[in-house]
Amino acid sequence: MQKYPRVDAHLVIGEEIVGVNPKINNLIRPFRLAKHDTLWVLDSNVFTSNQALANAIQSLTNPPRHRPTGLVHHLPFAIQAGDNLGSQIEQVYLCSTHARMYLSINWLSITSCVTGKSCLYRRSDLERAAEKKRRGGKGLVLADGEGGLAAFGKYLGEDNMIGLAIWDDLGMRHVLGNDVAGNVVGNMSFRSFFNRRVRWIRVRKYMVT
């Protein structure tokens, strides 16, 4: 903000509890304050190229081939892993098994497969998707009350739910960007790695299968 003082930007600090998902609790205030329709949700531990946003905007706004584009996302790729055993295993997992699965499903375009490390979508599409899902859309039911992003705060895997809502309920396709989301692993013990995998296996069991 100091480097670009003429850019209309604000730093929003603090959460508002709208559900069990801590990420959405952190995002809900800037989501409401955003002045424009296109939103880029980028995790704080992610590094990507200087052209990633411009490339993603181009992908989102390109004329549709079959279905209009509702979401642009990027492949998570592990970087800056520590020397701990858990860090090394996490790096191998993200750069091999997870990357192969992620690329394959998105290349086949058989269903939504989105990780929320870096996602670009329109607020208006998110609000339409949440409202349509509440009125009897496919899959799991969203939270009552406020619509838009807050409606997805009921679930820990909000990235999966948002992707499915845009894919299934709006019939819009996803685009996997050419840039990668460099996910900083840092220092992670084996116990932390194991607990993380168990947690997300449980989430996927009840949300995906």
Side-chain angles (χ1 to χ4, degrees):
M1 292 168 60
Q2 291 180 344
K3 187 175 181 179
Y4 301 101
R6 296 184 180 180
V7 176
D8 185 11
H10 300 275
L11 179 63
V12 181
I13 301 175
E15 65 177 8
E16 179 179 333
I17 306 300
V18 294
V20 299
N21 188 306
K23 181 175 179 177
I24 287 186
N25 292 338
N26 282 331
L27 288 174
I28 191 62
R29 292 175 59 206
F31 176 82
R32 294 176 184 146
L33 293 171
K35 295 182 178 180
H36 302 286
D37 193 36
T38 303
L39 306 175
W40 187 23
V41 179
L42 184 73
D43 281 6
S44 60
N45 67 332
V46 168
F47 288 86
T48 189
S49 72
N50 294 334
Q51 295 78 34
L53 178 57
N55 294 337
I57 290 289
Q58 184 175 5
S59 296
L60 186 71
T61 56
N62 276 342
R65 293 176 295 177
H66 305 291
R67 296 186 295 168
T69 300
L71 186 148
V72 180
H73 58 120
H74 299 101
L75 171 71
F77 206 77
I79 60 173
Q80 297 182 20
D83 295 329
N84 309 56
L85 177 60
S87 301
Q88 296 296 308
I89 298 176
E90 176 78 356
Q91 184 177 37
V92 171
Y93 169 72
L94 284 178
C95 296
S96 58
T97 304
H98 183 271
R100 182 170 61 249
M101 174 273 299
Y102 201 84
L103 291 170
S104 298
I105 295 177
N106 279 285
W107 181 77
L108 292 170
S109 295
I110 53 178
T111 188
S112 170
C113 180
V114 172
T115 297
K117 288 294 180 181
S118 174
C119 287
L120 186 84
Y121 47 75
R122 302 175 186 88
R123 176 167 50 185
S124 56
D125 288 337
L126 191 65
E127 291 171 345
R128 288 194 305 115
E131 183 61 27
K132 193 168 184 179
K133 184 170 283 293
R134 278 179 171 172
R135 292 181 179 180
K138 301 177 183 179
L140 301 175
V141 179
L142 298 184
D144 294 327
E146 184 178 350
L149 185 66
F152 295 89
K154 180 180 178 180
Y155 300 101
L156 289 177
E158 88 293 333
D159 47 3
N160 177 66
M161 290 299 298
I162 289 172
L164 284 172
I166 292 175
W167 180 281
D168 288 335
D169 296 288
L170 295 186
M172 304 178 80
R173 72 187 187 106
H174 302 161
V175 171
L176 182 60
N178 294 328
D179 304 278
V180 297
N183 182 77
V184 177
V185 176
N187 293 315
M188 179 184 295
S189 67
F190 179 77
R191 179 180 293 274
S192 296
F193 167 81
F194 180 80
N195 290 339
R196 177 179 173 82
R197 296 275 70 81
V198 169
R199 181 171 69 250
W200 285 110
I201 287 172
R202 288 173 176 169
V203 168
R204 291 188 180 97
K205 177 181 178 181
Y206 292 105
M207 291 184 61
V208 180
T209 59

